[in-house]
Amino acid sequence: MKRALPVLVLSVAGLIPVWRYAPSHDTGSSPAPARAAAPASTPSASSSGGTTTTVVSGSLVDTEKGPVRVEVTFDGDEIASVRMLQQPDHPQTTAAVPKLIEETLQAQSADIDTVSGATVTSDGYKESLQAALDAKG
């Protein structure tokens, strides 16, 4: 009887994470590789005060969570801003996008870290971003 109470308490403590676990809504049995569905758009440029601002859309990347497409604004050769044109409607994606954009602005390239918990979206983001960088030249 002395062991019954600790066993009961530890069993309940061990089951709490199982009860709180929220599985992903992925229905596929194996991850599908991200693939580009549309080519990157051609750059559009405008000149203001000696610097050239160029806006380039990356390719549409179809991921298992949904489509991803970015738009990059360049100020000369520097990445001035990044905007998501399309993104999956998923909680992890919503949290990951600001982190991805911040890292892109710091790195000034597509060589950025994947956001934990949003790997699929991060990979699609990086692929679309790289397509935009390649289109800019």
PDB file of all heavy atoms in Angstrom, residues 72 79 81-82 97-112 125-126 129 133:
ATOM      1  N   VAL A  72      10.589  39.782 -52.765  1.00  0.00           N
ATOM      2  CA  VAL A  72      11.764  40.422 -52.194  1.00  0.00           C
ATOM      3  C   VAL A  72      11.924  41.811 -52.798  1.00  0.00           C
ATOM      4  O   VAL A  72      11.855  41.972 -54.013  1.00  0.00           O
ATOM      5  CB  VAL A  72      13.036  39.588 -52.451  1.00  0.00           C
ATOM      6  CG1 VAL A  72      14.249  40.227 -51.792  1.00  0.00           C
ATOM      7  CG2 VAL A  72      12.864  38.166 -51.970  1.00  0.00           C
ATOM      8  N   ILE A  79      19.037  43.364 -49.783  1.00  0.00           N
ATOM      9  CA  ILE A  79      17.650  42.971 -49.527  1.00  0.00           C
ATOM     10  C   ILE A  79      17.071  43.947 -48.516  1.00  0.00           C
ATOM     11  O   ILE A  79      17.529  44.023 -47.376  1.00  0.00           O
ATOM     12  CB  ILE A  79      17.562  41.529 -48.983  1.00  0.00           C
ATOM     13  CG1 ILE A  79      18.116  40.533 -49.993  1.00  0.00           C
ATOM     14  CG2 ILE A  79      16.118  41.179 -48.627  1.00  0.00           C
ATOM     15  CD1 ILE A  79      18.227  39.118 -49.482  1.00  0.00           C
ATOM     16  N   SER A  81      13.503  44.298 -47.943  1.00  0.00           N
ATOM     17  CA  SER A  81      12.373  43.684 -47.252  1.00  0.00           C
ATOM     18  C   SER A  81      11.962  42.400 -47.963  1.00  0.00           C
ATOM     19  O   SER A  81      12.270  42.196 -49.128  1.00  0.00           O
ATOM     20  CB  SER A  81      11.179  44.645 -47.175  1.00  0.00           C
ATOM     21  OG  SER A  81      10.645  44.871 -48.452  1.00  0.00           O
ATOM     22  N   VAL A  82      11.268  41.560 -47.211  1.00  0.00           N
ATOM     23  CA  VAL A  82      10.723  40.313 -47.740  1.00  0.00           C
ATOM     24  C   VAL A  82       9.275  40.242 -47.288  1.00  0.00           C
ATOM     25  O   VAL A  82       8.957  40.561 -46.145  1.00  0.00           O
ATOM     26  CB  VAL A  82      11.493  39.077 -47.224  1.00  0.00           C
ATOM     27  CG1 VAL A  82      10.905  37.794 -47.788  1.00  0.00           C
ATOM     28  CG2 VAL A  82      12.969  39.177 -47.543  1.00  0.00           C
ATOM     29  N   VAL A  97       7.180  32.820 -39.889  1.00  0.00           N
ATOM     30  CA  VAL A  97       7.428  33.803 -40.951  1.00  0.00           C
ATOM     31  C   VAL A  97       8.238  35.010 -40.459  1.00  0.00           C
ATOM     32  O   VAL A  97       9.232  35.371 -41.091  1.00  0.00           O
ATOM     33  CB  VAL A  97       6.105  34.228 -41.632  1.00  0.00           C
ATOM     34  CG1 VAL A  97       6.310  35.433 -42.520  1.00  0.00           C
ATOM     35  CG2 VAL A  97       5.547  33.074 -42.436  1.00  0.00           C
ATOM     36  N   PRO A  98       7.881  35.659 -39.350  1.00  0.00           N
ATOM     37  CA  PRO A  98       8.699  36.799 -38.905  1.00  0.00           C
ATOM     38  C   PRO A  98      10.154  36.417 -38.627  1.00  0.00           C
ATOM     39  O   PRO A  98      11.068  37.188 -38.912  1.00  0.00           O
ATOM     40  CB  PRO A  98       8.012  37.272 -37.623  1.00  0.00           C
ATOM     41  CG  PRO A  98       6.625  36.756 -37.710  1.00  0.00           C
ATOM     42  CD  PRO A  98       6.699  35.485 -38.491  1.00  0.00           C
ATOM     43  N   LYS A  99      10.379  35.215 -38.101  1.00  0.00           N
ATOM     44  CA  LYS A  99      11.742  34.758 -37.826  1.00  0.00           C
ATOM     45  C   LYS A  99      12.509  34.552 -39.126  1.00  0.00           C
ATOM     46  O   LYS A  99      13.680  34.923 -39.233  1.00  0.00           O
ATOM     47  CB  LYS A  99      11.719  33.459 -37.029  1.00  0.00           C
ATOM     48  CG  LYS A  99      11.143  33.608 -35.639  1.00  0.00           C
ATOM     49  CD  LYS A  99      11.029  32.271 -34.942  1.00  0.00           C
ATOM     50  CE  LYS A  99      10.282  32.417 -33.628  1.00  0.00           C
ATOM     51  NZ  LYS A  99      10.042  31.125 -32.995  1.00  0.00           N
ATOM     52  N   LEU A 100      11.853  33.958 -40.123  1.00  0.00           N
ATOM     53  CA  LEU A 100      12.499  33.728 -41.414  1.00  0.00           C
ATOM     54  C   LEU A 100      12.869  35.048 -42.081  1.00  0.00           C
ATOM     55  O   LEU A 100      13.973  35.204 -42.615  1.00  0.00           O
ATOM     56  CB  LEU A 100      11.585  32.901 -42.323  1.00  0.00           C
ATOM     57  CG  LEU A 100      11.357  31.457 -41.893  1.00  0.00           C
ATOM     58  CD1 LEU A 100      10.207  30.842 -42.681  1.00  0.00           C
ATOM     59  CD2 LEU A 100      12.629  30.639 -42.077  1.00  0.00           C
ATOM     60  N   ILE A 101      11.954  36.003 -42.049  1.00  0.00           N
ATOM     61  CA  ILE A 101      12.205  37.306 -42.670  1.00  0.00           C
ATOM     62  C   ILE A 101      13.347  38.026 -41.950  1.00  0.00           C
ATOM     63  O   ILE A 101      14.248  38.578 -42.587  1.00  0.00           O
ATOM     64  CB  ILE A 101      10.920  38.155 -42.691  1.00  0.00           C
ATOM     65  CG1 ILE A 101       9.915  37.531 -43.672  1.00  0.00           C
ATOM     66  CG2 ILE A 101      11.223  39.603 -43.051  1.00  0.00           C
ATOM     67  CD1 ILE A 101       8.537  38.161 -43.652  1.00  0.00           C
ATOM     68  N   GLU A 102      13.332  37.996 -40.623  1.00  0.00           N
ATOM     69  CA  GLU A 102      14.390  38.647 -39.850  1.00  0.00           C
ATOM     70  C   GLU A 102      15.758  38.048 -40.170  1.00  0.00           C
ATOM     71  O   GLU A 102      16.731  38.775 -40.374  1.00  0.00           O
ATOM     72  CB  GLU A 102      14.092  38.510 -38.358  1.00  0.00           C
ATOM     73  CG  GLU A 102      15.122  39.173 -37.465  1.00  0.00           C
ATOM     74  CD  GLU A 102      14.827  38.987 -35.982  1.00  0.00           C
ATOM     75  OE1 GLU A 102      13.653  38.721 -35.626  1.00  0.00           O
ATOM     76  OE2 GLU A 102      15.775  39.102 -35.187  1.00  0.00           O
ATOM     77  N   GLU A 103      15.835  36.721 -40.231  1.00  0.00           N
ATOM     78  CA  GLU A 103      17.107  36.073 -40.553  1.00  0.00           C
ATOM     79  C   GLU A 103      17.560  36.407 -41.965  1.00  0.00           C
ATOM     80  O   GLU A 103      18.746  36.567 -42.219  1.00  0.00           O
ATOM     81  CB  GLU A 103      16.991  34.560 -40.374  1.00  0.00           C
ATOM     82  CG  GLU A 103      17.048  34.140 -38.931  1.00  0.00           C
ATOM     83  CD  GLU A 103      17.438  32.691 -38.768  1.00  0.00           C
ATOM     84  OE1 GLU A 103      18.227  32.180 -39.590  1.00  0.00           O
ATOM     85  OE2 GLU A 103      16.943  32.068 -37.821  1.00  0.00           O
ATOM     86  N   THR A 104      16.613  36.499 -42.900  1.00  0.00           N
ATOM     87  CA  THR A 104      16.957  36.842 -44.277  1.00  0.00           C
ATOM     88  C   THR A 104      17.564  38.234 -44.344  1.00  0.00           C
ATOM     89  O   THR A 104      18.567  38.454 -45.032  1.00  0.00           O
ATOM     90  CB  THR A 104      15.705  36.785 -45.177  1.00  0.00           C
ATOM     91  OG1 THR A 104      15.153  35.471 -45.126  1.00  0.00           O
ATOM     92  CG2 THR A 104      16.044  37.136 -46.611  1.00  0.00           C
ATOM     93  N   LEU A 105      16.965  39.188 -43.642  1.00  0.00           N
ATOM     94  CA  LEU A 105      17.472  40.558 -43.654  1.00  0.00           C
ATOM     95  C   LEU A 105      18.855  40.646 -43.016  1.00  0.00           C
ATOM     96  O   LEU A 105      19.697  41.428 -43.446  1.00  0.00           O
ATOM     97  CB  LEU A 105      16.491  41.497 -42.968  1.00  0.00           C
ATOM     98  CG  LEU A 105      15.136  41.648 -43.663  1.00  0.00           C
ATOM     99  CD1 LEU A 105      14.189  42.499 -42.828  1.00  0.00           C
ATOM    100  CD2 LEU A 105      15.296  42.219 -45.064  1.00  0.00           C
ATOM    101  N   GLN A 106      19.106  39.827 -41.997  1.00  0.00           N
ATOM    102  CA  GLN A 106      20.418  39.826 -41.355  1.00  0.00           C
ATOM    103  C   GLN A 106      21.464  39.151 -42.245  1.00  0.00           C
ATOM    104  O   GLN A 106      22.575  39.651 -42.389  1.00  0.00           O
ATOM    105  CB  GLN A 106      20.355  39.127 -40.004  1.00  0.00           C
ATOM    106  CG  GLN A 106      19.646  39.931 -38.945  1.00  0.00           C
ATOM    107  CD  GLN A 106      19.526  39.176 -37.623  1.00  0.00           C
ATOM    108  OE1 GLN A 106      19.959  38.040 -37.501  1.00  0.00           O
ATOM    109  NE2 GLN A 106      18.924  39.818 -36.636  1.00  0.00           N
ATOM    110  N   ALA A 107      21.105  38.003 -42.834  1.00  0.00           N
ATOM    111  CA  ALA A 107      22.054  37.233 -43.637  1.00  0.00           C
ATOM    112  C   ALA A 107      22.239  37.806 -45.040  1.00  0.00           C
ATOM    113  O   ALA A 107      23.263  37.558 -45.675  1.00  0.00           O
ATOM    114  CB  ALA A 107      21.586  35.784 -43.743  1.00  0.00           C
ATOM    115  N   GLN A 108      21.226  38.534 -45.533  1.00  0.00           N
ATOM    116  CA  GLN A 108      21.240  39.068 -46.898  1.00  0.00           C
ATOM    117  C   GLN A 108      21.433  37.952 -47.928  1.00  0.00           C
ATOM    118  O   GLN A 108      22.061  38.148 -48.970  1.00  0.00           O
ATOM    119  CB  GLN A 108      22.337  40.145 -47.060  1.00  0.00           C
ATOM    120  CG  GLN A 108      22.044  41.423 -46.311  1.00  0.00           C
ATOM    121  CD  GLN A 108      20.841  42.164 -46.882  1.00  0.00           C
ATOM    122  OE1 GLN A 108      20.793  42.441 -48.071  1.00  0.00           O
ATOM    123  NE2 GLN A 108      19.870  42.457 -46.037  1.00  0.00           N
ATOM    124  N   SER A 109      20.861  36.786 -47.623  1.00  0.00           N
ATOM    125  CA  SER A 109      20.915  35.651 -48.540  1.00  0.00           C
ATOM    126  C   SER A 109      19.849  34.638 -48.135  1.00  0.00           C
ATOM    127  O   SER A 109      19.141  34.833 -47.148  1.00  0.00           O
ATOM    128  CB  SER A 109      22.288  34.984 -48.503  1.00  0.00           C
ATOM    129  OG  SER A 109      22.459  34.237 -47.319  1.00  0.00           O
ATOM    130  N   ALA A 110      19.771  33.551 -48.887  1.00  0.00           N
ATOM    131  CA  ALA A 110      18.835  32.480 -48.558  1.00  0.00           C
ATOM    132  C   ALA A 110      19.489  31.430 -47.667  1.00  0.00           C
ATOM    133  O   ALA A 110      18.871  30.420 -47.345  1.00  0.00           O
ATOM    134  CB  ALA A 110      18.308  31.832 -49.839  1.00  0.00           C
ATOM    135  N   ASP A 111      20.708  31.672 -47.262  1.00  0.00           N
ATOM    136  CA  ASP A 111      21.432  30.744 -46.393  1.00  0.00           C
ATOM    137  C   ASP A 111      21.084  31.061 -44.941  1.00  0.00           C
ATOM    138  O   ASP A 111      21.842  31.699 -44.217  1.00  0.00           O
ATOM    139  CB  ASP A 111      22.935  30.866 -46.635  1.00  0.00           C
ATOM    140  CG  ASP A 111      23.726  29.819 -45.878  1.00  0.00           C
ATOM    141  OD1 ASP A 111      23.142  28.780 -45.499  1.00  0.00           O
ATOM    142  OD2 ASP A 111      24.931  30.042 -45.648  1.00  0.00           O
ATOM    143  N   ILE A 112      19.882  30.609 -44.536  1.00  0.00           N
ATOM    144  CA  ILE A 112      19.372  30.887 -43.188  1.00  0.00           C
ATOM    145  C   ILE A 112      18.982  29.584 -42.515  1.00  0.00           C
ATOM    146  O   ILE A 112      18.834  28.552 -43.174  1.00  0.00           O
ATOM    147  CB  ILE A 112      18.161  31.847 -43.229  1.00  0.00           C
ATOM    148  CG1 ILE A 112      17.034  31.261 -44.061  1.00  0.00           C
ATOM    149  CG2 ILE A 112      18.578  33.214 -43.744  1.00  0.00           C
ATOM    150  CD1 ILE A 112      15.752  32.069 -44.032  1.00  0.00           C
ATOM    151  N   TYR A 125      10.057  28.374 -48.055  1.00  0.00           N
ATOM    152  CA  TYR A 125      10.439  29.791 -48.005  1.00  0.00           C
ATOM    153  C   TYR A 125      11.825  29.983 -48.609  1.00  0.00           C
ATOM    154  O   TYR A 125      12.041  30.850 -49.451  1.00  0.00           O
ATOM    155  CB  TYR A 125      10.409  30.267 -46.556  1.00  0.00           C
ATOM    156  CG  TYR A 125      10.945  31.669 -46.346  1.00  0.00           C
ATOM    157  CD1 TYR A 125      10.106  32.769 -46.403  1.00  0.00           C
ATOM    158  CD2 TYR A 125      12.294  31.879 -46.069  1.00  0.00           C
ATOM    159  CE1 TYR A 125      10.597  34.053 -46.201  1.00  0.00           C
ATOM    160  CE2 TYR A 125      12.788  33.151 -45.874  1.00  0.00           C
ATOM    161  CZ  TYR A 125      11.937  34.238 -45.937  1.00  0.00           C
ATOM    162  OH  TYR A 125      12.441  35.501 -45.741  1.00  0.00           O
ATOM    163  N   LYS A 126      12.780  29.147 -48.169  1.00  0.00           N
ATOM    164  CA  LYS A 126      14.153  29.284 -48.657  1.00  0.00           C
ATOM    165  C   LYS A 126      14.241  29.014 -50.155  1.00  0.00           C
ATOM    166  O   LYS A 126      14.982  29.692 -50.869  1.00  0.00           O
ATOM    167  CB  LYS A 126      15.095  28.353 -47.880  1.00  0.00           C
ATOM    168  CG  LYS A 126      15.284  28.816 -46.445  1.00  0.00           C
ATOM    169  CD  LYS A 126      16.412  28.101 -45.736  1.00  0.00           C
ATOM    170  CE  LYS A 126      16.039  26.710 -45.331  1.00  0.00           C
ATOM    171  NZ  LYS A 126      17.066  26.055 -44.502  1.00  0.00           N
ATOM    172  N   LEU A 129      12.709  32.039 -51.899  1.00  0.00           N
ATOM    173  CA  LEU A 129      13.632  33.152 -51.723  1.00  0.00           C
ATOM    174  C   LEU A 129      14.828  33.018 -52.658  1.00  0.00           C
ATOM    175  O   LEU A 129      15.237  33.992 -53.308  1.00  0.00           O
ATOM    176  CB  LEU A 129      14.098  33.219 -50.266  1.00  0.00           C
ATOM    177  CG  LEU A 129      15.126  34.286 -49.915  1.00  0.00           C
ATOM    178  CD1 LEU A 129      14.559  35.690 -50.141  1.00  0.00           C
ATOM    179  CD2 LEU A 129      15.580  34.128 -48.472  1.00  0.00           C
ATOM    180  N   LEU A 133      16.189  35.556 -55.564  1.00  0.00           N
ATOM    181  CA  LEU A 133      17.568  36.048 -55.628  1.00  0.00           C
ATOM    182  C   LEU A 133      18.205  35.720 -56.962  1.00  0.00           C
ATOM    183  O   LEU A 133      18.917  36.544 -57.549  1.00  0.00           O
ATOM    184  CB  LEU A 133      18.385  35.458 -54.478  1.00  0.00           C
ATOM    185  CG  LEU A 133      17.963  35.846 -53.059  1.00  0.00           C
ATOM    186  CD1 LEU A 133      18.762  35.065 -52.023  1.00  0.00           C
ATOM    187  CD2 LEU A 133      18.087  37.337 -52.831  1.00  0.00           C
TER     188      LEU A 133
END
